[in-house]
Amino acid sequence: MYALVDCNNFYASCERVFNPSLQQKPVAILSNNDGCVISMSDEAKALQLPFGAPIFKWEAFCKTNNIAVLSSNYPLYGDMSSRVMNILHQFSPDIEVYSIDEAFLQFKGFENYNFTNYATAIRSKVLQWTGIPTCVGIAPTKALSKVANKIARFNIEKTGGICVIDTEEKRIKALKWTPLKKVWGIGWRLQKRLENIGCKTAWDFTQLSDEYVLKTFSITELHLKKDLEGIAKLTLEDHNKSKKAIATTRSFEFTYTNIEDIKERISTFAASCAEKLRKQQSSCHMVIVLLRSDRHKKDTIQHKVSKTIVFSHPTNSSLSICNAAVKTVESMFKKGVRYKRAGVIVTGLVPTDNHQLNLFSKENPKHKPLMSAIDHLNTRFKADKIKLGNQDLNRTWKMRQERLSPKYTTNINDIITVT
């Protein structure tokens, strides 16, 4: 059996743990740079505040309806997520942390357990130890546990935040209740294709023949179908394994028209990617540089461009990656455009200690010990004290967070004091 444990309205719930005045009140959390609504409480959803709503357009609506609007407090959310996941490890050694607010648990050797009681114990301990409410869906497969979780979340007063699919009758009933758009693994494109052949629910999808699904779609959709049928095809994944690509993309605090400002930002993003490469002991063959104007300012010149640089040999040197990225920006930049967002992606990753060498070119041998020394110093002093010359030495990237709550659990100066 598998369980999906999902934290309810996680960002808003984290804020409520340390600010009880927000309980039972509508709460909305904003994205980077206080841009759009990315999370909200049930009370805010009931007021029909849309996800992704640009706050500058919905500011008056929020004030009229007394919606508490807060900046994303990622240090707080990350720490609370870690606490929740540590608790879940007590209930099963087999766990896949799927996202910041949800995790899959696999129960091996739990045949004689009462899963309703076990799910109740999970919810109770997480709530008691962290203050975060959760919903738990338990079923024979990962895909079905997702369905069970959505049923548990749909009407918490009726379900108690728990749904266990442990019989064929419950499986069929659950799939007939679940529309295609609610099925984990079915995106909007696949949804449209399935709707065109008459599929409206998860149950309709499982009634297609295996041969038809494999021929018309792919093995991925076939595995999803079998999982929904109760035949486990999707197993727990190790999200700690090396990534296939690493990206650093950011919106600027302000729009930039000066290429020197953009080059400094690109250099910083590239250095961040290079550092992440070294942490997972990988090197990259390619770097992709992204640059985009402010798409919300329709009355200004729009420009969106990306370019790829291919290295003759794999590298994880900040010097090599930053130099290539900055030179690329020079060819991408257009005068008169107000740029709002940029990014660097490193891909074509290979292990640093095991890759194909090039007969005619290689990394400068001085780079490796230099990067090692920089990483050591930055780790020791817990900050990016050592930077490249084309980075702003007095600047660290900082989001616009005008509505930020205190970092209650990660900053000693923000710890709650009781008087």
Side-chain angles (χ1 to χ4, degrees):
M1 297 288 278
Y2 290 83
L4 177 67
V5 183
D6 186 18
C7 300
N8 302 343
N9 308 321
F10 182 62
Y11 290 179
S13 294
C14 289
E15 299 287 353
R16 284 174 164 174
V17 169
F18 299 95
N19 187 354
S21 66
L22 297 176
Q23 296 287 351
Q24 310 303 322
K25 293 184 179 180
V27 179
I29 310 297
L30 302 179
S31 62
N32 293 348
N33 293 315
D34 292 348
C36 304
V37 175
I38 58 172
S39 179
M40 66 183 87
S41 64
D42 289 334
E43 294 81 4
K45 294 175 185 176
L47 295 171
Q48 298 185 339
L49 175 65
F51 280 104
I55 193 60
F56 74 93
K57 290 185 178 181
W58 290 82
E59 188 81 56
F61 177 88
C62 292
K63 288 182 178 179
T64 301
N65 291 278
N66 296 316
I67 300 175
V69 181
L70 301 171
S71 302
S72 294
N73 191 337
Y74 294 119
L76 174 65
Y77 307 153
D79 182 67
M80 294 300 290
S81 173
S82 178
R83 297 182 186 205
V84 171
M85 300 309 164
N86 286 336
I87 295 171
L88 296 182
H89 273 94
Q90 299 177 17
F91 290 90
S92 175
D94 302 306
I95 181 171
E96 174 191 338
V97 179
Y98 186 67
S99 69
I100 193 172
D101 64 344
E102 58 184 330
F104 287 103
L105 281 68
Q106 186 175 9
F107 301 122
K108 297 178 181 177
F110 286 66
E111 289 78 8
N112 297 323
Y113 274 61
N114 182 313
F115 284 109
T116 299
N117 293 342
Y118 205 58
T120 301
I122 293 173
R123 292 191 75 234
S124 298
K125 180 163 285 191
V126 172
L127 183 62
Q128 180 182 0
W129 287 18
T130 67
I132 302 294
T134 59
C135 285
V136 182
I138 298 180
T141 68
K142 286 178 70 176
L144 283 174
S145 71
K146 265 281 192 178
V147 172
N149 186 276
K150 290 189 179 298
I151 294 173
R153 182 75 177 86
F154 180 72
N155 189 343
I156 294 181
E157 293 183 0
K158 182 178 180 181
T159 65
I162 295 167
C163 177
V164 179
I165 300 176
D166 53 4
T167 67
E168 184 67 6
E169 180 182 0
K170 290 181 180 179
R171 182 186 73 85
I172 294 173
K173 184 177 180 181
L175 294 184
K176 288 183 176 179
W177 175 87
T178 307
L180 279 178
K181 65 180 180 180
K182 296 290 186 180
V183 178
W184 177 54
I186 295 184
W188 66 270
R189 287 190 178 89
L190 179 57
Q191 177 191 339
K192 294 296 183 183
R193 294 178 66 187
L194 289 171
E195 288 177 346
N196 289 338
I197 58 175
C199 291
K200 295 182 179 180
T201 65
W203 171 253
D204 295 334
F205 176 54
T206 60
Q207 297 311 292
L208 300 175
S209 69
D210 292 352
E211 294 78 10
Y212 177 82
V213 172
L214 185 59
K215 181 180 179 181
T216 308
F217 304 105
S218 70
I219 190 65
T220 301
E221 285 73 25
L222 178 59
H223 284 169
L224 174 60
K225 175 180 177 293
K226 303 305 286 186
D227 229 56
L228 291 171
E229 291 174 351
I231 303 170
K233 291 293 183 180
L234 306 176
T235 58
L236 296 186
E237 297 181 8
D238 181 11
H239 285 281
N240 292 320
K241 63 184 180 181
S242 297
K243 299 177 181 179
K244 297 181 179 178
I246 295 174
T248 301
T249 60
R250 298 283 188 272
S251 292
F252 305 140
E253 296 175 74
F254 312 101
T255 53
Y256 288 151
T257 57
N258 188 330
I259 190 173
E260 296 304 321
D261 291 328
I262 297 174
K263 286 164 66 175
E264 190 280 330
R265 292 290 79 198
I266 287 292
S267 179
T268 299
F269 299 163
S272 174
C273 288
E275 182 181 357
K276 293 174 184 177
L277 278 175
R278 296 192 293 274
K279 281 185 177 180
Q280 72 169 38
Q281 299 181 356
S282 297
S283 296
C284 71
H285 277 286
M286 293 179 288
V287 176
I288 303 171
V289 180
L290 315 171
L291 196 58
R292 189 174 73 187
S293 58
D294 191 343
R295 59 189 177 90
H296 295 295
K297 301 290 180 62
K298 303 298 183 183
D299 57 336
T300 61
I301 302 173
Q302 296 295 308
H303 185 220
K304 180 180 179 181
V305 62
S306 67
K307 286 192 176 182
T308 301
I309 310 100
V310 179
F311 295 111
S312 59
H313 55 270
T315 180
N316 60 17
S317 166
S318 296
L319 296 173
S320 299
I321 294 173
C322 291
N323 185 50
V326 169
K327 286 184 177 179
T328 303
V329 166
E330 293 175 350
S331 65
M332 298 164 62
F333 177 81
K334 284 187 177 181
K335 290 185 178 180
V337 177
R338 303 176 67 87
Y339 290 102
K340 182 62 177 176
R341 188 175 181 85
V344 175
I345 303 171
V346 291
T347 186
L349 307 190
V350 295
T352 299
D353 59 356
N354 183 20
H355 59 260
Q356 182 66 46
L357 301 177
N358 188 299
L359 182 61
F360 302 103
S361 64
K362 61 180 180 180
E363 187 78 84
N364 187 325
K366 294 181 180 179
H367 285 200
K368 185 175 180 179
L370 177 60
M371 294 301 108
S372 178
I374 290 175
D375 292 340
H376 173 72
L377 290 171
N378 285 337
T379 301
R380 179 180 177 183
F381 294 103
K382 309 296 183 183
D384 294 332
K385 297 294 185 182
I386 310 298
K387 297 184 178 183
L388 302 184
N390 58 358
Q391 293 180 252
D392 188 337
L393 304 181
N394 298 315
R395 175 180 181 180
T396 57
W397 180 79
K398 189 177 185 300
M399 291 185 292
R400 187 196 314 164
Q401 295 176 305
E402 298 173 352
R403 313 162 197 252
L404 185 64
S405 58
K407 300 178 179 65
Y408 300 102
T409 64
T410 60
N411 189 323
I412 191 69
N413 297 317
D414 288 344
I415 291 179
I416 294 177
T417 57
V418 179
T419 58

